[in-house]
Amino acid sequence: ERGRERGEREREGGRERETLSEPLSDVETEIIQDTWGLVYKNCEDVGVSVLIRFFVNFPSAKQYFSQFQDMEDPEEMEKSTQLRQHARRVMNAINTVVANLHDAEKVSSVLALVGKAHALKHKVEPVYFKILSGVMLEVLAEDYPEYFTEEVQLVWTKLMGAVFWHVTGAYTEVGWLQVSSSAV
């Protein structure tokens, strides 16, 4: 636990950004790849469920999506092609990360692209990545309780922390000033 706090402080201080303070072990990588394999079979449904819960619980996130920013009804959101396409993109990005956990450079470059696009093109506050990953972990634990045990959830939390770290690194790189937020 102490090591993680030190890692957080180093990142906040803007120093060494090259390596994660806690890389995933081989066992953790295997746990993530095994459980993701089960989830990814239903990737569109899971992605849509995650995004709908995200937008229902955090309606301010809808401001970045022209096609459904005024929708309140989850069933209406579910029919939105823009939402479905975004769900697919989110799930595919995670799939690329999970498939390449053995290749740190690939993971880093994929997430740097995601971060830069959301910072420069979409102007999305980075805190939404943290919120979305929390929502995703919630949905996975509810939809796949037999696979997402407490141990598995901890490993996934570690992965999502790493994803957030890489994405916010890209924000910092392109000059986004307020990366960490006290909102979450």
Side-chain angles (χ1 to χ4, degrees):
E1 212 39 60
R2 214 174 302 141
R4 179 178 292 151
E5 286 166 15
R6 192 172 57 245
E8 292 297 323
R9 267 204 306 282
E10 284 171 15
R11 277 175 260 152
E12 295 299 326
R15 288 196 304 273
E16 193 56 40
R17 278 212 58 98
E18 287 310 300
T19 54
L20 275 173
S21 55
E22 283 187 81
L24 294 169
S25 70
D26 291 347
V27 171
E28 289 170 330
T29 297
E30 204 173 304
I31 287 171
I32 285 168
Q33 289 177 331
D34 288 351
T35 48
W36 181 251
L38 302 161
V39 170
Y40 198 65
K41 287 178 193 161
N42 309 307
C43 76
E44 192 170 318
D45 291 342
V46 174
V48 168
S49 294
V50 168
L51 286 188
I52 288 174
R53 180 171 306 185
F54 177 55
F55 293 127
V56 167
N57 292 353
F58 302 92
S60 61
K62 289 188 292 187
Q63 68 186 299
Y64 303 108
F65 295 89
S66 55
Q67 201 191 323
F68 55 85
Q69 61 189 169
D70 300 319
M71 289 182 190
E72 300 291 331
D73 179 24
E75 283 178 27
E76 197 185 348
M77 280 184 214
E78 203 176 338
K79 294 187 181 98
S80 160
T81 52
Q82 193 186 15
L83 186 142
R84 288 194 161 274
Q85 283 170 349
H86 197 68
R88 211 173 295 128
R89 276 198 297 274
V90 169
M91 297 300 277
N92 286 338
I94 294 170
N95 191 54
T96 304
V97 167
V98 170
N100 291 284
L101 285 174
H102 57 281
D103 183 347
E105 270 177 46
K106 173 82 172 166
V107 168
S108 189
S109 66
V110 166
L111 294 173
L113 286 173
V114 169
K116 285 172 184 166
H118 284 78
L120 299 171
K121 190 174 165 197
H122 311 302
K123 312 255 186 289
V124 173
E125 288 288 338
V127 71
Y128 284 109
F129 282 93
K130 190 176 266 186
I131 297 168
L132 180 63
S133 63
V135 171
M136 176 166 270
L137 292 173
E138 233 174 63
V139 169
L140 294 178
E142 282 173 30
D143 288 2
Y144 300 91
E146 66 277 32
Y147 304 121
F148 281 80
T149 59
E150 214 167 304
E151 181 202 3
V152 170
Q153 288 180 56
L154 283 172
V155 178
W156 271 92
T157 301
K158 189 172 169 180
L159 175 69
M160 291 302 190
V163 167
F164 184 67
W165 185 81
H166 280 288
V167 167
T168 53
Y171 271 78
T172 306
E173 229 172 88
V174 298
W176 191 280
L177 293 174
Q178 182 67 31
V179 166
S180 58
S181 169
S182 55
V184 172

